[in-house]
Amino acid sequence: VPQSGSSFHVFDQGQFAKEVLPKYFKHNNMASFVRQLNMYGFRKVVHIEQGGLVKPEKDDTEFQHPYFLRGQEQLLENIKRKVTSVSSEK
């Protein structure tokens, strides 16, 4: 299946957490990495055939963001951490 370049995959979460995350973060926790992705607007891709309920047979997690597109590096500056507004009402 040709890839469109509009997402990225983590094919082995265990190996990714153990070998890749510590190179770039102060942890090797996949859940923390996913939480960070979500804060920056990345979303897990759920395919219709999975229905969101059935765990895929292979360890393949796919993430996408509207501004994360192959060959469109100029869009990366639009990927920003979401700001949560804290209400000061009492």
Side-chain angles (χ1 to χ4, degrees):
V1 178
Q3 296 299 316
S4 66
S6 62
S7 66
F8 72 91
H9 292 255
V10 176
F11 290 108
D12 184 333
Q13 290 188 25
Q15 185 176 5
F16 181 81
K18 184 174 148 188
E19 296 179 13
V20 178
L21 289 181
K23 291 181 182 179
Y24 302 97
F25 300 95
K26 296 178 183 176
H27 65 78
N28 63 353
N29 186 319
M30 187 67 187
S32 294
F33 176 66
V34 171
R35 197 164 38 252
Q36 287 294 315
L37 286 174
N38 290 335
M39 278 196 237
Y40 282 86
F42 281 83
R43 290 291 171 250
K44 183 176 174 181
V45 177
V46 178
H47 296 281
I48 293 172
E49 63 270 14
Q50 291 170 217
L53 301 173
V54 181
K55 182 155 175 58
E57 292 181 25
K58 58 186 190 304
D59 183 9
D60 175 7
T61 309
E62 182 180 1
F63 297 95
Q64 66 86 32
H65 188 288
Y67 295 125
F68 185 81
L69 301 170
R70 181 184 298 132
Q72 302 291 318
E73 289 84 7
Q74 74 280 5
L75 295 178
L76 294 175
E77 67 185 35
N78 297 315
I79 300 176
K80 297 180 173 56
R81 187 172 174 150
K82 291 182 178 179
V83 182
T84 55
S85 59
V86 178
S87 176
S88 59
E89 294 178 30
K90 293 184 180 182

